[in-house]
Structures are given as C-alpha cells and as structure tokens.
C-alpha cells in the first residue's frame, strides 16, 4: 500500500478492542476475529463501516495501489462558521483520518487488470461532497480516461457539504460531467454502494455508473429517512432505502457480501477487457443452412418440444458456456422483470453481453419468472444492457424463449408497446455484432424485441410466429380444438424448416435426438458453438457496416422480390 495510505492508517491508530458489539444484533464479537472477517458479523451479516485503507486492502491486488493526487481546491470559500468554524472542522477531520478530504484516489489492479478507484471515507465529515471531494472524483475519472481503464467508485456519504454552500451543489454537475466523458469514451464505470450513500452523491456520480452493486443492508437515497417521514407524516418500513429495497425496485444491479466483492468486481473489470487471442479456435460450426437437410417431426410434436420445460433456459446456457457471469438487474426506473435476464460474461475469452428470456424447469421457477413473459421493465432492462454493450464495444447474444410479452393490465399501464418498440429500435442500431438464437418458443413481438440481429439462428425444435397456434385457431378457426390448433400451426409455418426456407432464420442449430430436453448439456454446447461461429464471422466488422447490413436484412422482408425459393436475397 502507498505511503499516503500508510499515513492515513497510522493516524490515531488505537489498540484493537478485545470485544466489539454488532451494530445490528448486538452479538458480542471477538475483536480480532471480527477484523479478520472484514468486519462482518457472523451472526446477522451486518457490515460494519471500513476505513479507506481497510476497503482498498480488501478489494485490490496486494501492493498494487498507487496514489493519484487531485489538484488543490478552495479551503473555506464562504468563511463558514456554525458552532465551530469550518476550518477547524477540516483540520480536526484531517488529523483524525490522515486524509486530505473524503475521497481517496488510487490506480491499482483488480484480478490482474488495471483500474482507477475513487473511495470515500465516511469518517471525514460524513463523506460529504465538497470542492475537494468533487475534485478527487473528477481526477479519478480523468485518470481513467487518460489510461483507458475502468473506474470504480466506492461511495459512503451523507450528501453535499453545507459549509461550502452553492459550490458544494455545483459538485453534482461537475462529477456528473466527468462520468459523461467516460460514457462517451466507452469506458466501464462501476459503483460500489456502502452504508450510507445519500443526497448529492446519490443524485450524481454514484448512480450514473454502468453497474451499481451494493453491500447487504447499505442505504442509498436522495432524501434521508427522517426528512421523508417528517415531510409526509408517516413511518416508513424498516427496509426502506436499503440495498434490498433498491434491488427489488430495479435501482441497482445486485447485492454482494463483502467477501465476494473482489471476485465479482474482477469479473466485471474483465468483461471490458480485450478479447483473448484464439477465442474462436477449434470451434466447429454446427449450423444447418439447407432446408432440405432437415427432417422435422409432425408440427404438433415440434410445438410440444419447443415448450417442454426440460429445455435449457437462458441461465442454463450461460452456466454451461462461461466461467464468469455477472447478472445485471433493473430498469433503473423502479422495477425489474425476472422474465428477462442479462449480464456480462466471457465466452471463450470473448467479452459479451448475454440477454435472454428466462422460463424455468419447475412450476415454482416458471411462476417466479412469469413464465418467460416480460413486463415493460424487462424490455427496458434489456435496452439498458444493449446500450452498455454498445458503449463497451462488445457483442450482444440474445436467447429467445417466450410465449410472448406479458399481456396484463399493469403491463399496458406501464407502456408495454413502447418498451418493445424501443427494443426493436435500439437493437437494430447497435454498432456491435448481434447474434440471436431462438431456443424454444419465439412468440410474437415479445420474441422479436430481442431478435433484430445480424444472425438469427433457430434451434431444430424451436418455433417462431406472429401468434401462438392456439391464438390463431381461436381467432380464425373460431375453435380451440386440437385439429384447429394443428391446422393453424401448419398454416403459420412455425417450424425450423419453413422459417429457414422463408429466410427468417439464417440457420438451424441441431438438437440431440428427440429434442433438447433429452440431453440439455449437449444441446447447450451445440448452441454455444453456433454462437461462437457466428461471432467469429462478424468479429472485426465496422459498426456502421453492421448496422447498415442489419437494417437492409430486415428491410427486405415482405418485399416483392422475395419468395420462399429465393432466400439468398434475404441473406
């Protein structure tokens, strides 16, 4: 660790107490053991606050941290004094912490990869955001920009520093502009929320990161709990503004215990790294492109196989394909949808963004994931992840398996049609490779929202249609009887051979005999190899060329020159 950090750690360093009391459950804890466990209570999981030194030692590769010194800032711009002059408060905070201000900036490595870190220390005037703290955040962002590395911000703050008046308020815009510059440069930003994170920090750089992770129980919000209760005259629930509350409402990507943070952050930083050489070597392309090579079973059997719960789900595929996957959650607007999952992963050494519909194998799982029928929040989450992939310059892989978008009244009230339309528009214009595999049911616009791709592949027993056979039979045949449903499925041409002939699918991924549910692992490996082969073909293509070709592909559907026998024109 650096000399600066050593000095901070040595200031007022008192002997470690033999026993400490948990701040939540009041369990008596042996001091040295509590410290060794990163100050997490073994009984209730309460996470005690850490100093900057403790925080960086716990997260970063040993010995890798080097200080990044911010420029000087105004000391007491208002000549402020309350019960104690501001200058005296500053001097006391510096003596007690050994820090110049509330934010420490270092360059370091995390999992062997470079990163710039701006870490807040709540001991310094409650981690408040003043001119010096704002300068430190901006310095960290500028260092990340200069060195082309990810930025990790670790927050702990009560809000803006009142003693600096309007200049403190200006730090919100100052730091937000610095984060915007990293967005424009395509650099990954991560926020680790620790307890507490409030006010101007929460309403600026803390919530502008690409990925927001919180420690269990960490609180974050704009207004504090007491202020809100006094304003509305109501008592808020105990969980209000906690990490768990934020996660439930789609405002953060995840919650991670302190012991798991180094690995999680390492995977995230790695997802923005340069692809490993030879990431596609040795992978044979299994995709079938000649309709005549397919001998499907009857259409009723195809539809049945497409819906069998034992088929690999999106999360099954990700688990089979990758060693590291960080699922990202939330639409950042107050909700999440478990029917769409997505996140950053490395596929054979190639960083990718994987987004897919998620059903489940058991009834419990199906219910928990809304039977794979996304609400608007799911599609808005997907759009957020698509845009992140475009920012980082990494491919998007989408896995489609849904009966359709959620048809409920709440979905309509919250903008289902608009959410799907935005998916179509954003996905169609992404300047990165996009590969879609329809792995089960491809139901209507709810499926197409994730399928505006450069390469659209279909599993051998998957289906893709404007409406379900049952829905079509009920409307046009005015019957729900099996013969009508079968006739509708046949007429809609929902199977792989027909879709390949029509050019809607670019290729078909074979399945194990009898269907993917008979051997899910083998089925998943075939899909993986198909995806890698498609990405190998698209890798290195110019972003503008990709968008132009993708739009041209979909422009031709339904044009007069296309017929089932001239599918080459579609490709």
């Amino acid at each position: 660790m650096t000399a600066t950090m050593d000095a901070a750690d040595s200031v007022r360093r008192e002997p470690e107490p033999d026993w400490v009391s948990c701040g939540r459950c009041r369990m008596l804890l042996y001091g040295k053991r509590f410290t060794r466990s990163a100050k997490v209570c073994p009984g209730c999981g309460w996470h005690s606050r850490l100093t900057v030194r403790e925080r960086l030692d716990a997260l970063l590769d040993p010995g890798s941290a080097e200080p990044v010194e911010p420029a000087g800032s105004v000391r007491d711009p208002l000549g402020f004094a309350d019960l104690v002059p501001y200058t005296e408060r500053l001097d006391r905070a510096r003596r007690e912490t050994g820090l110049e201000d509330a934010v420490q900036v270092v360059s370091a490595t995390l999992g062997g990869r470079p990163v710039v870190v701006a870490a807040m220390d709540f001991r310094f005037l409650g981690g408040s955001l003043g001119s010096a703290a704002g300068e430190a955040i901006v310095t960290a962002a500028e260092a990340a920009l200069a060195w082309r590395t990810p930025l990790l911000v670790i927050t702990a703050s009560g809000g803006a520093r009142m003693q600096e008046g309007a200049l403190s308020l200006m730090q919100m815009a100052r730091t937000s502009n610095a984060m915007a510059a990293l967005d424009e440069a395509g650099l990954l930003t991560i926020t680790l929320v620790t307890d507490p994170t409030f006010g101007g920090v929460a309403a600026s750089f803390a919530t502008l990161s690409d990925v927001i992770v919180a420690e269990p129980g960490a609180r974050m919000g704009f207004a504090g709990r007491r202020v809100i209760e006094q304003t509305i005259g109501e008592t808020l629930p105990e969980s209000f503004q906690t990490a768990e509350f934020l996660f439930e409402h789609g405002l953060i990507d995840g919650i991670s215990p302190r012991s798991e943070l180094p690995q999680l952050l390492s995977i995230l930083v790695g997802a923005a790294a340069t692809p490993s050489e030879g990431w596609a070597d040795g992978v044979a392309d299994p995709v079938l492109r000649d309709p005549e090579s397919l001998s499907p079973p009857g259409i009723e059997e195809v539809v049945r196989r497409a819906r069998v719960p034992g088929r690999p789900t999106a999360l099954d595929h990700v688990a089979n394909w990758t060693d590291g996957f960080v699922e990202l959650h939330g639409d950042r607007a107050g909700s999440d949808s478990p029917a769409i999952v997505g996140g950053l992963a490395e596929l054979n050494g190639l960083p990718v963004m994987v987004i897919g519909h998620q059903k489940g194998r058991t009834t419990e799982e199906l219910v928990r994931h809304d039977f794979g029928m996304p609400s608007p929040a799911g599609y808005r989450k997907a759009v957020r992840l698509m845009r992140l992939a475009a920012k980082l310059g990494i491919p998007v892989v989408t896995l489609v398996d849904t009966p359709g978008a959620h048809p409920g009244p709440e979905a309509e009230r919250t903008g289902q049609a608009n959410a799907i339309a935005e998916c179509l528009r954003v996905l169609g214009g992404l300047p990165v490779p996009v590969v879609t595999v329809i792995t089960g049911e491809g139901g209507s616009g709810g499926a197409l929202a994730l399928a505006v791709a450069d390469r659209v592949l279909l599993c051998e027993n998957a289906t893709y249609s404007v409406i379900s056979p049952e829905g079509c039979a009920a409307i046009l045949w005015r019957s729900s009887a099996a013969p009508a449903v079968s006739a509708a499925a046949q007429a809609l041409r929902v199977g792989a051979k027909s879709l390949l002939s029509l050019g809607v699918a670019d290729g078909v991924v074979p399945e194990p005999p009898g269907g993917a549910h008979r051997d899910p692992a083998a089925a998943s490996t075939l899909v993986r190899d198909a995806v890698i082969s498609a990405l190998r073909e698209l890798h290195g293509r110019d972003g503008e060329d990709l968008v132009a070709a993708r739009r041209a592909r979909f422009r031709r559907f339904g044009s007069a020159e296309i017929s089932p026998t001239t599918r080459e024109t579609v490709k």
Side-chain angles (χ1 to χ4, degrees):
M1 187 57 71
T2 65
T4 301
M5 296 303 298
D6 285 337
D9 192 53
S10 65
V11 172
R12 292 191 61 177
R13 189 170 185 177
E14 300 177 355
E16 202 171 66
D18 289 336
W19 296 93
V20 296
S21 176
C22 171
R24 182 191 294 164
C25 70
R26 302 304 175 189
M27 176 188 289
L28 203 58
L29 306 169
Y30 183 52
K32 291 184 178 179
R33 184 177 300 167
F34 183 57
T35 299
R36 286 196 300 270
S37 65
K39 295 188 175 180
V40 176
C41 175
C44 69
W46 173 69
H47 284 52
S48 176
R49 289 176 188 157
L50 298 179
T51 66
V52 161
R53 168 66 182 263
E54 290 169 333
R55 177 71 63 184
L56 298 182
D57 279 350
L59 287 179
L60 303 176
D61 295 343
S64 69
E66 295 292 337
V68 178
E69 298 296 340
S73 297
V74 293
R75 176 174 168 81
D76 182 16
L78 307 183
F80 194 96
D82 45 79
L83 299 177
V84 178
Y86 178 40
T87 53
E88 288 188 23
R89 291 189 186 276
L90 283 174
D91 290 341
R92 184 164 62 227
R94 287 168 179 165
R95 287 194 305 271
E96 292 178 349
T97 65
L99 301 172
E100 283 300 305
D101 210 272
V103 180
Q104 179 78 30
V105 182
V106 300
S107 65
T109 59
L110 210 169
R113 294 187 171 99
V115 65
V116 173
V117 184
M120 307 190 77
D121 195 319
F122 193 78
R123 297 175 303 157
F124 197 104
L125 298 183
S128 52
L129 179 61
S131 298
E135 178 65 37
I137 296 295
V138 172
T139 295
E142 290 172 346
L145 186 62
W147 299 329
R148 305 293 302 176
T149 64
L151 172 67
L152 168 62
V153 176
I154 304 170
T155 61
S157 175
R161 189 170 297 175
M162 293 178 287
Q163 295 91 337
E164 294 189 18
L167 281 184
S168 176
L169 185 66
M170 293 304 105
Q171 304 311 309
M172 294 172 64
R174 186 187 191 192
T175 56
S176 297
N177 287 340
M179 297 295 281
L182 296 179
D183 286 337
E184 293 159 6
L187 296 174
L188 178 68
T189 53
I190 307 167
T191 293
L192 170 58
V193 178
T194 75
D195 187 62
T197 297
F198 280 104
V201 169
S204 59
F205 61 91
T207 49
L208 291 177
S209 288
D210 301 312
V211 181
I212 305 175
V213 180
E215 289 190 330
R219 295 165 294 160
M220 181 172 72
F222 183 55
R225 180 190 185 93
R226 283 183 295 176
V227 172
I228 297 172
E229 288 182 332
Q230 290 170 1
T231 301
I232 66 175
E234 296 178 12
T235 300
L236 297 169
E238 283 300 315
S239 64
F240 187 71
Q241 293 181 319
T242 63
E244 293 73 17
F245 175 91
L246 298 168
F247 182 75
E248 180 184 351
H249 290 84
L251 300 174
I252 62 175
D253 287 289
I255 303 170
S256 178
R258 194 167 285 167
S259 60
E260 298 175 8
L261 279 170
Q263 181 181 9
L264 172 70
L265 295 173
S266 177
I267 293 172
L268 285 171
V269 170
T274 303
S276 303
E277 290 187 12
W279 58 269
D281 290 352
V283 176
D285 187 357
V287 173
L288 304 173
R289 295 178 173 81
D290 180 5
E292 297 308 314
S293 66
L294 299 173
S295 301
I299 194 63
E300 299 93 340
E301 179 63 12
V302 169
V303 172
R304 187 193 70 81
R305 290 181 184 180
R307 297 171 174 174
V308 170
R311 295 178 72 84
T313 67
L315 291 178
D316 290 334
H317 284 301
V318 168
N320 186 55
W321 299 354
T322 66
D323 292 327
F325 171 68
V326 178
E327 185 177 352
L328 305 179
H329 293 266
D331 65 353
R332 294 289 193 274
S335 191
D336 194 7
S337 172
I340 286 184
V341 297
L344 292 162
E346 283 192 32
L347 179 58
N348 254 34
L350 176 71
V352 295
M353 179 69 76
V354 182
I355 307 171
H357 297 95
Q358 177 69 15
K359 286 183 178 178
R361 293 177 177 272
T362 66
T363 300
E364 181 183 358
E365 289 176 349
L366 287 165
V367 171
R368 186 166 67 247
H369 292 282
D370 293 333
F371 294 87
M373 296 187 292
S375 68
Y379 292 112
R380 291 181 181 127
K381 172 172 63 177
V383 165
R384 182 171 75 86
L385 301 189
M386 293 170 192
R387 287 178 170 148
L388 175 55
K391 170 186 169 177
L392 300 178
I394 63 175
V396 173
V397 176
T398 65
L399 302 172
V400 173
D401 184 13
T402 179
H406 199 286
E410 182 63 22
E412 293 300 318
R413 279 195 293 270
T414 53
Q416 186 71 286
N418 174 263
I420 291 173
E422 188 66 8
C423 261
L424 299 174
R425 175 167 63 180
V426 171
L427 197 53
L430 288 185
V432 295
V434 181
V435 174
T436 291
V437 184
I438 300 167
T439 62
E441 288 184 278
S444 191
L448 180 62
L450 299 188
V452 184
D454 303 300
R455 297 292 180 269
V456 178
L457 306 176
L458 193 78
C459 285
E460 187 176 4
N461 290 295
T463 59
Y464 198 15
S465 178
V466 67
I467 191 172
S468 70
E470 291 83 358
C472 181
I475 295 170
L476 299 181
W477 273 259
R478 300 186 179 181
S479 172
S480 59
V485 173
S486 178
Q490 191 67 49
L492 287 167
R493 302 184 70 178
V494 302
K497 185 171 185 176
S498 295
L499 292 164
L500 187 58
S501 297
L502 290 167
V504 172
D506 296 302
V508 173
V509 183
E511 295 185 14
H517 60 289
R518 295 289 182 86
D519 191 344
S524 182
T525 299
L526 287 165
V527 175
R528 169 190 172 275
D529 291 351
V531 168
I532 291 174
S533 298
L535 290 173
R536 178 172 54 201
E537 180 190 352
L538 297 166
H539 186 67
R541 293 268 298 272
D542 178 76
E544 290 186 6
D545 290 344
L546 285 168
V547 172
R550 193 181 309 137
R551 288 175 174 167
R553 179 186 190 278
F554 286 88
R555 168 67 178 84
R556 289 191 292 266
F557 285 121
S559 296
E561 74 269 18
I562 297 179
S563 72
T565 58
T566 58
R567 57 184 304 276
E568 290 77 10
T569 63
V570 181
K571 295 173 69 178

